[in-house]
């Protein structure tokens, strides 16, 4: 079975540009999470969706960040405009359960973003 | 929210040695997972173990939920075991996992 699929794996962009990261969760999973990992802050939860509805976006750093989940098999995380401090690895993860539930969480391979 | 503490923060082993990593948490949980982040950055599921004991090859894990800790055992360590090991927990009524800061393991040949 395919795991969580993220694209792009690597992105290098210049400050001010728009960045879109994409995620396809495991088929059948109904919860999707976006995390950011940096050396300074470790793993941070940005936002999570349950049944395509955003449940908690309190981790989204600021208005430059937005996330959508138009259907059960696709989500995007957008940064506009990007800044050098957004450089990080962004992980998407999915699980099965209600409101995040007790289901096992599976991560994608991450998207490494570098903003120059 | 739930507090998660992992120990030790760093560990250096010779290939072939055994090790025990510990995860303490501050409240009852209904989900506990161990992950390995390899040197390439991939987060790999090791165990989903809110209670009890599981084994997978050279790795095993035990969670004693009533005493609020979990242990990850690595036997006959190999260089490919190097990386960071994360414990993550979720409590009843919570929707997301809380991660510990991880244990960084280096296995030298």
């Amino acid at each position: 079975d395919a795991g969580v699929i993220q694209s792009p794996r690597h992105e290098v962009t210049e400050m001010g540009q728009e960045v879109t990261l994409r995620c396809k969760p495991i088929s059948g999973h109904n919860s999707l999470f976006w995390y950011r990992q940096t050396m300074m802050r470790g793993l941070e939860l940005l936002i999570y969706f349950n049944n395509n509805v955003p449940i908690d976006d309190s981790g989204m750093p600021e208005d430059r960040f937005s996330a959508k989940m138009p259907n059960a098999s696709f989500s995007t995380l957008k940064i506009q405009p990007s800044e050098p401090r957004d450089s990080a690895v962004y992980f998407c993860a999915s699980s099965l359960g209600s409101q995040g539930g007790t289901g096992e969480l599976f991560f994608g391979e991450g998207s490494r973003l570098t903003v120059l | 929210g739930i507090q998660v503490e992992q120990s030790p923060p760093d560990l250096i082993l010779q290939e072939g040695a055994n090790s025990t990593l510990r995860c303490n948490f501050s409240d009852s949980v209904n989900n506990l997972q161990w992950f390995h982040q390899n040197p390439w950055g991939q987060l790999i599921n090791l165990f989903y173990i809110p209670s009890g004991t599981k084994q997978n090859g050279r790795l095993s894990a035990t969670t004693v939920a009533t005493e609020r800790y979990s242990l990850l055992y690595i036997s006959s360590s190999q260089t490919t075991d190097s990386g960071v090991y994360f414990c993550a927990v979720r409590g009843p009524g919570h929707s997301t996992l809380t991660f510990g800061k991880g244990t960084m393991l280096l296995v030298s040949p």
Side-chain angles (χ1 to χ4, degrees), chain B residues 29-70:
Chain B
V29 299
N30 58 12
N31 182 346
L32 188 146
Q33 292 185 237
W34 284 97
F35 296 91
H36 174 215
Q37 187 164 35
N38 63 24
W40 294 271
Q42 296 172 308
L43 278 160
I44 298 165
N45 289 38
L46 296 178
F47 294 102
Y48 171 68
I49 187 167
S51 64
T53 296
K54 291 186 178 180
Q55 180 155 7
N56 184 3
R58 296 180 296 103
L59 272 61
S60 64
T62 294
T63 297
V64 184
T66 53
E67 297 187 21
R68 298 181 183 170
Y69 72 88
S70 183

Side-chain angles (χ1 to χ4, degrees), chain B residues 1 10 14 30 64-65 90 100:
Chain B
D10 304 280
Q14 284 271 303
N30 58 12
V64 184
R90 178 164 52 217

Side-chain angles (χ1 to χ4, degrees), chain B residues 8 10 18 22 31 36 46 56 84-85 98 103 109:
Chain B
D10 304 280
N18 302 329
R22 188 176 180 101
N31 182 346
H36 174 215
L46 296 178
N56 184 3
V84 182
Y85 289 79
T98 299
T103 292

Side-chain angles (χ1 to χ4, degrees), chain B residues 48-106:
Chain B
Y48 171 68
I49 187 167
S51 64
T53 296
K54 291 186 178 180
Q55 180 155 7
N56 184 3
R58 296 180 296 103
L59 272 61
S60 64
T62 294
T63 297
V64 184
T66 53
E67 297 187 21
R68 298 181 183 170
Y69 72 88
S70 183
L71 302 174
L72 177 68
Y73 306 95
I74 304 174
S75 64
S76 304
S77 58
Q78 301 176 357
T79 56
T80 52
D81 295 332
S82 297
V84 182
Y85 289 79
F86 290 103
C87 170
V89 306
R90 178 164 52 217
H94 295 269
S95 301
T96 59
L97 287 174
T98 299
F99 282 78
K101 293 185 184 303
T103 292
M104 182 173 292
L105 173 64
L106 176 63

Side-chain angles (χ1 to χ4, degrees), chain A residues 38-73:
Chain A
T38 61
M39 289 293 292
M40 292 295 292
R41 293 175 170 266
L43 264 171
E44 302 174 275
L45 177 66
L46 300 178
I47 185 171
Y48 88 92
F49 295 83
N50 183 254
N51 293 324
N52 312 338
V53 176
I55 302 300
D56 183 358
D57 65 354
S58 59
M60 295 285 264
E62 49 198 273
D63 292 345
R64 297 184 297 106
F65 286 69
S66 62
K68 294 182 180 179
M69 192 164 186
N71 58 61
S73 58

Side-chain angles (χ1 to χ4, degrees), chain A residues 3-4 26 29 92-95 103-108, chain B residues 33 35 43 45:
Chain A
V4 177
I26 292 172
H29 281 190
C92 178
S94 71
S95 69
E104 188 174 1
L105 188 69
F106 294 87
F107 282 88
Chain B
Q33 292 185 237
F35 296 91
L43 278 160
N45 289 38

